[in-house]
Amino acid sequence: MNTITKKISLQERDKAVNWHPYTQMKTADDAIPIVKGKGIYLYDNEGKKYLDVVSSWWVTLHGHLISSILILVFNAKVHKVIF
């Protein structure tokens, strides 16, 4: 049996599987395809850098991808992180 996989853009996938609270999904602009975060910045799929001013509580305090936090979580052998 052959499986055909359709390659879709990050924006198309976002519209298909995510709900954005307080957004009129039928008329909203495409979401910016954020692919990573580091420190206080987010990066899109073209490498453009954005200051993250709407992140969650812990990211606001500590930033994205902080190595000391990653090491502590890894060493704690955390199986599920919910936030």
Side-chain angles (χ1 to χ4, degrees), residues 50-63:
Y50 301 85
L51 178 63
D52 185 359
V53 296
V54 294
S55 62
S56 70
W57 184 356
W58 298 111
V59 173
T60 301
L61 293 173
H62 304 292

Side-chain angles (χ1 to χ4, degrees), residues 3 8 10 13-14 18 20 27-28 30 32 36 40-43 55-57 61 63 65 71-72 79-80 82-83:
T3 302
I8 63 173
L10 291 173
R13 173 128 173 89
D14 178 75
N18 290 317
H20 297 275
T27 60
D30 286 342
I32 298 169
K36 72 176 184 176
I40 60 171
Y41 295 103
L42 300 171
Y43 297 85
S55 62
S56 70
W57 184 356
L61 293 173
L65 202 60
I71 291 167
L72 289 169
H79 298 287
K80 292 183 181 179
I82 301 172
F83 51 98

Side-chain angles (χ1 to χ4, degrees), residues 21-40:
Y22 310 108
T23 301
Q24 176 42 263
M25 296 300 290
K26 291 184 179 185
T27 60
D29 292 335
D30 286 342
I32 298 169
I34 299 299
V35 297
K36 72 176 184 176
K38 183 160 174 105
I40 60 171

